């Protein structure tokens, strides 16, 4: 009987659509990183900062290359096995910084193609869920494959308190739901990798 072969470490690129210092969405990513480090072996999340990316502009593309900060960002996405998006909902959609990052990474060669992804959000009554639906629509064209369940859209203002003053996720039930999303992403990533 053959011994089971260990699966390779899954590298997840995490992008936050909010640039605010104490952003709840950054708090969700920080919590996801902590959860992975403490209780999900075989999966590592790296926060990828999109704050310094210039606005998409083809004038910045020279001889098939991009500005160094864009090239570095694209390389991080290319090296990732899967992607975790945390995006607030602005006007029923994703934020401008996140859309800008998505657009840069979709320029030839599209580095999003065939990657599994998950989306999480928080906010008012809908918890940012409409931004997730729009992000899924964008994913269709750029060949991202989102997990369908579980969904994670957290009402940040409902009792008990979900975040502290620094934007850290403190609600244990929400952390457990976030862990379920990460486990689903891990399983889906392995399934897509095994099918290649």
């Amino acid at each position: 009987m053959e011994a089971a072969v260990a699966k390779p470490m899954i590298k997840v690129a995490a992008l936050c659509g909010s640039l605010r210092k104490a952003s709840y969405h950054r708090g969700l990513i920080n919590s996801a990183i902590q959860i992975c480090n403490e209780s999900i072996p075989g999966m590592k999340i790296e926060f990828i900062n999109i704050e310094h990316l210039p606005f998409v502009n083809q004038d910045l593309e020279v001889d098939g290359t991009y500005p160094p900060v864009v090239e570095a960002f694209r390389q991080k996405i290319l090296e990732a096995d899967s992607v975790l998006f945390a995006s607030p909902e602005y006007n029923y959609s994703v934020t401008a910084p996140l859309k800008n990052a998505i657009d840069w990474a979709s320029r030839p060669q599209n580095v999003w193609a065939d990657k599994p992804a998950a989306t999480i959000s928080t906010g008012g009554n809908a918890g940012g869920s409409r931004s997730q639906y729009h992000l899924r629509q964008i994913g269709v064209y750029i060949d991202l494959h989102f997990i369908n369940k579980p969904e994670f859209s957290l009402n940040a203002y409902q009792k008990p308190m979900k975040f502290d003053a620094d934007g850290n996720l403190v609600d244990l039930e929400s952390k457990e739901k976030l862990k379920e999303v990460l486990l689903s992403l891990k399983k889906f990533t392995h399934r897509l990798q095994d099918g290649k």
Side-chain angles (χ1 to χ4, degrees):
M1 180 183 240
E2 283 185 36
V5 177
K7 302 244 184 212
M9 175 72 73
I10 291 175
K11 295 180 288 185
V12 181
L15 280 70
C16 182
S18 175
L19 306 182
R20 189 170 61 88
K21 283 186 174 68
S23 160
Y24 291 165
H25 289 84
R26 181 63 195 272
L28 290 177
I29 289 176
N30 290 342
S31 189
I33 290 169
Q34 182 182 14
I35 290 166
C36 267
N37 291 342
E38 293 175 357
S39 62
I40 305 180
M43 188 173 189
K44 183 149 183 66
I45 299 176
E46 179 184 0
F47 170 69
I48 310 298
N49 193 347
I50 62 173
E51 185 174 358
H52 304 294
L53 293 174
F55 285 122
V56 169
N57 179 349
Q58 284 184 288
D59 291 341
L60 300 177
E61 300 175 24
V62 180
D63 298 325
T65 65
Y66 303 97
V69 67
V70 173
E71 290 282 7
F73 167 71
R74 289 170 52 83
Q75 189 61 36
K76 289 283 189 184
I77 301 304
L78 187 63
E79 292 169 355
D81 298 304
S82 54
V83 185
L84 176 66
F85 293 96
S87 179
E89 180 182 315
Y90 285 10
N91 301 317
Y92 281 34
S93 186
V94 299
T95 64
L98 183 58
K99 182 61 167 65
N100 186 57
I102 291 168
D103 291 345
W104 269 127
S106 71
R107 300 290 299 147
Q109 158 197 2
N110 173 17
V111 295
W112 301 114
D114 286 330
K115 292 195 186 293
T119 177
I120 55 178
S121 61
T122 186
N125 292 337
S129 60
R130 289 171 293 221
S131 72
Q132 293 189 27
Y133 298 138
H134 194 193
L135 184 55
R136 288 171 184 274
Q137 287 179 311
I138 295 166
V140 170
Y141 186 75
I142 59 176
D143 293 325
L144 272 171
H145 307 293
F146 283 93
I147 62 169
N148 291 320
K149 297 281 189 303
E151 295 180 330
F152 186 99
S153 51
L154 177 65
N155 184 329
Y157 308 106
Q158 208 170 39
K159 300 289 182 193
M161 185 174 71
K162 305 295 190 276
F163 297 90
D164 66 17
D166 295 320
N168 298 307
L169 183 64
V170 294
D171 181 59
L172 295 179
E173 183 180 341
S174 299
K175 286 185 178 188
E176 203 51 45
K177 289 179 180 175
L178 180 55
K179 182 177 179 179
E180 291 172 18
V181 170
L182 299 174
L183 289 170
S184 179
L185 179 60
K186 180 182 178 185
K187 182 177 178 182
F188 187 51
T189 302
H190 281 310
R191 196 172 95 201
L192 290 184
Q193 287 175 338
D194 292 344
K196 287 184 178 176

